[in-house]
Amino acid sequence: MGRFEGREPPEPVEYEPASVKDLLVEMKDTAELLIDLSYSAVLHGSPTVAEEVLALENKMDVLQMRARMSLMLAARNPDEAEKLAPVLGVVSGADKVSDAAGDIAKIVLEEIGLPDAMRGALSEGVETLVRGTVAADSDYADRTLQAIDLESETGVRVIAIRRDDDWILNPGPETRIEAADVMLLRGPETAVSEVYPELTGEPFDPSPPAEPAIDDLERAVDSIVLMKNLSELAVDLAYGSVLFDNEELADEVTNLEVEVDALQSRFEAWTLRAAKEADDPVALRGLIHLGVATEEISDAALEITEGVLRDLGVHPVVEMAVQESDEIITRTTVREGSDLAGTEVVDGVPATDISTSVLAIRRPEEGWLVGPDIDTTLRVGDVVISKGTRTSAEEFERLSG
């Protein structure tokens, strides 16, 4: 079957003068949103969210084509080609993340099948993400996000808005909400259940999670949730490594990719064992499909880091993109005698005066702790992946010893 068989043919793309920096930033934001949306589509069995994924995937195809055109024109000599080669890796990696997200969305659209237990496990592994259309009589219509103060008041974040065919990614305080906007909300389910009706005028009715009835299936499901979390983290770290020319972050992407590969091997074994006991083994097709696509996301993250790992340097176009980033991702090792040793981390927030959040911890002999709900005490030898302002990152590193 051809790549576009059964689909609308791709739209023609002509060269348009564009900032490579702006294209890179938009591709990064789109790739991260696609991961969120694709898993949300599976979690809620939502064809409408899955359709949004495919629409964004088409947008990503156009972005990567325009980025390639601009980069080809920019490479005027061998020296420029060498400096721009890593940027092509970023473009290609983002496009592969997009393709993998599209494959995940097709689990829903093509009714490939997925065990109910998978949705139950995902509901515990991710925050609730829903798609809602702003009602004409909503209290949120014709107001800015700053005026609504949604995140401070409820803990629910607006991660993207689609207005007709245009997307507003990472909307800011001055973004005004309009009636008929399609909004993507993420946050705790209890908070989303209060915000959603006020936004859309419709009730919020999530499906209750199901429990696995087969032990091997439960192990497979747990593996895929961890693979998802590690692959998402790998994408975050990959962009961080490129934007900040940080080889330590790139090394962690390599560690994550190896871990995801190992998890996929175990996941496949448990899924095959579960098939012997399942009433309908064909229903496990979607689970295998999800595992393959999730592993491809970690591979794409590794491709993004290739220029950093090969010490090719950072092109000025990437340095310009860095200047737009208010937050940075850092890797900190807790050393002997460090002020961080013994520090409690509750819901991903360390008990320090520094405003930072812990994305993950790699602990010797135990592996990775990943997610916004990390509850632990930091130990000597822990490798801490955190996100915060440049100032807080420097202070956090100073505490490490």
Side-chain angles (χ1 to χ4, degrees), residues 325-345:
S325 178
D326 293 327
E327 291 186 313
I328 64 171
I329 296 175
T330 54
R331 171 189 182 276
T332 304
T333 301
V334 181
R335 301 179 181 85
E336 193 74 45
S338 164
D339 290 339
L340 290 178
T343 296
E344 286 189 332
V345 177

Side-chain angles (χ1 to χ4, degrees), residues 44 128-130 189-190 192-194 196-197 200 202-206:
H44 298 294
T128 298
L129 189 152
V130 297
E189 183 173 302
T190 53
V192 171
S193 66
E194 296 176 2
Y196 185 85
T200 66
E202 299 174 356
F204 177 68
D205 188 21

Side-chain angles (χ1 to χ4, degrees), residues 6 15 26 46 117 119 122 132 148 247 259 274 329 354 362 371:
Y15 173 73
E26 190 170 3
S46 172
R119 294 192 175 94
L122 276 177
I148 296 170
E247 190 172 344
E259 180 69 16
I329 296 175
I354 300 170
R362 180 164 57 80

Side-chain angles (χ1 to χ4, degrees), residues 8-221:
E8 290 292 326
E11 63 180 279
V13 180
E14 296 181 356
Y15 173 73
E16 296 179 3
S19 161
V20 176
K21 177 205 69 173
D22 291 342
L23 288 170
L24 286 175
V25 170
E26 190 170 3
M27 290 185 76
K28 171 184 178 295
D29 292 342
T30 302
E32 291 173 344
L33 177 59
L34 274 164
I35 296 174
D36 278 338
L37 284 182
S38 61
Y39 282 102
S40 179
V42 170
L43 169 58
H44 298 294
S46 172
T48 55
V49 174
E51 290 287 359
E52 298 289 357
V53 171
L54 294 192
L56 272 174
E57 185 187 7
N58 289 335
K59 174 186 175 180
M60 180 70 92
D61 288 343
V62 174
L63 287 172
Q64 67 92 13
M65 187 65 72
R66 287 181 174 156
R68 288 179 189 276
M69 291 175 180
S70 297
L71 289 169
M72 289 172 69
L73 287 172
R76 294 180 292 271
N77 53 58
D79 186 53
E80 279 292 313
E82 181 179 297
K83 291 179 179 177
L84 287 169
V87 187
L88 276 172
V90 175
V91 171
S92 176
D95 190 46
K96 288 179 179 177
V97 170
S98 169
D99 290 343
D103 288 340
I104 292 171
K106 289 171 189 172
I107 294 173
V108 177
L109 293 174
E110 298 178 4
E111 300 181 354
I112 294 174
L114 196 71
D116 289 338
M118 184 71 240
R119 294 192 175 94
L122 276 177
S123 68
E124 296 176 2
V126 299
E127 287 185 298
T128 298
L129 189 152
V130 297
R131 167 193 184 274
T133 302
V134 180
D137 59 352
S138 170
D139 287 342
Y140 298 147
D142 299 320
R143 298 174 63 193
T144 65
L145 291 178
Q146 185 175 38
I148 296 170
D149 201 18
L150 194 63
E151 185 170 357
S152 297
E153 294 289 335
T154 67
V156 175
R157 300 184 296 285
V158 180
I159 63 172
I161 299 171
R162 180 167 60 77
R163 183 168 297 157
D164 297 324
D165 293 329
D166 296 325
W167 282 89
I168 303 171
L169 304 177
N170 292 326
E174 300 305 318
T175 302
R176 183 173 295 276
I177 297 173
E178 298 179 5
D181 279 353
V182 176
M183 297 181 63
L184 301 173
L185 308 174
R186 182 168 62 191
E189 183 173 302
T190 53
V192 171
S193 66
E194 296 176 2
V195 171
Y196 185 85
E198 192 169 349
L199 178 79
T200 66
E202 299 174 356
F204 177 68
D205 188 21
S207 301
E211 292 296 327
I214 302 171
D215 286 344
D216 286 323
L217 179 57
E218 183 174 7
R219 295 186 185 100
V221 166

Side-chain angles (χ1 to χ4, degrees), residues 187-261:
E189 183 173 302
T190 53
V192 171
S193 66
E194 296 176 2
V195 171
Y196 185 85
E198 192 169 349
L199 178 79
T200 66
E202 299 174 356
F204 177 68
D205 188 21
S207 301
E211 292 296 327
I214 302 171
D215 286 344
D216 286 323
L217 179 57
E218 183 174 7
R219 295 186 185 100
V221 166
D222 288 345
S223 293
I224 199 71
V225 171
L226 182 55
M227 285 171 64
K228 170 200 172 294
N229 290 338
L230 293 179
S231 293
E232 281 187 307
L233 177 63
V235 172
D236 274 345
L237 295 187
Y239 279 115
S241 73
V242 173
L243 294 178
F244 309 113
D245 193 21
N246 188 319
E247 190 172 344
E248 288 185 335
L249 293 182
D251 287 338
E252 292 300 339
V253 175
T254 302
N255 292 333
L256 285 164
E257 196 271 338
V258 169
E259 180 69 16
V260 171
D261 282 351

